[in-house]
Amino acid sequence: MRVVLDTSVLIGEVAPADVEAAISVASLTELHFGALVASDEDERARRTDRLAAVEAAFDPLPITAEVARAWGRLASAVTRRGGNSRRRQIDLAIAATAVVEKVPLLTFDVADLCIIDDLVDARRP
């Protein structure tokens, strides 16, 4: 099965099995940020190693104009339904990538997307 992996899965301990996985370039943003803000040197090194492994393993899907349109639709749906879309912009960019690719999004944060579960096929790994 083809899927887009959320950053929560990329930082998890076990890689999902039996999937053809892709990532959004937005996940690289989160991984870079996480490495840069780590206050502990050992943690920063661990996060940097994880980032390097992810960058070596994947050719990330870009945020195209089509993804940007889907991202805007998802963010507006969250807002119209009473959610706070500003808090989850990167997550919405990753979800929009999955929507455009017409594949499920594997994430440990399914609850964060429940407000738009009719628009995004978010699943736990």
Side-chain angles (χ1 to χ4, degrees):
M1 166 174 63
R2 289 183 58 234
V3 299
V4 169
L5 302 178
D6 180 53
T7 311
S8 65
V9 175
L10 293 173
I11 63 174
E13 294 300 317
V14 179
D18 301 323
V19 295
E20 181 185 334
I23 67 167
S24 167
V25 71
S27 285
L28 292 182
T29 300
E30 288 190 311
L31 293 173
H32 276 280
F33 175 76
L36 292 168
V37 299
S39 57
D40 175 79
E41 286 185 37
D42 290 338
E43 181 63 17
R44 187 177 314 110
R46 190 185 70 72
R47 290 180 184 188
T48 301
D49 288 347
R50 174 67 55 103
L51 170 60
V54 168
E55 288 181 321
F58 295 97
D59 183 18
L61 298 167
I63 294 179
T64 62
E66 186 178 11
V67 171
R69 284 189 293 274
W71 182 0
R73 284 192 298 274
L74 295 178
S76 68
V78 168
T79 300
R80 282 194 319 275
R81 296 172 185 188
N84 182 350
S85 64
R86 291 188 181 268
R87 282 191 18 188
R88 293 282 179 201
Q89 283 300 311
I90 300 296
D91 295 332
L92 292 173
I94 297 166
T97 302
V99 168
V100 167
E101 293 294 315
K102 298 177 176 61
V103 299
L105 172 66
L106 293 191
T107 179
F108 286 114
D109 302 323
V110 172
D112 292 344
L113 298 169
C114 67
I115 196 167
I116 52 172
D117 63 1
D118 59 318
L119 302 175
V120 178
D121 182 5
R123 304 177 189 182
R124 289 188 58 81

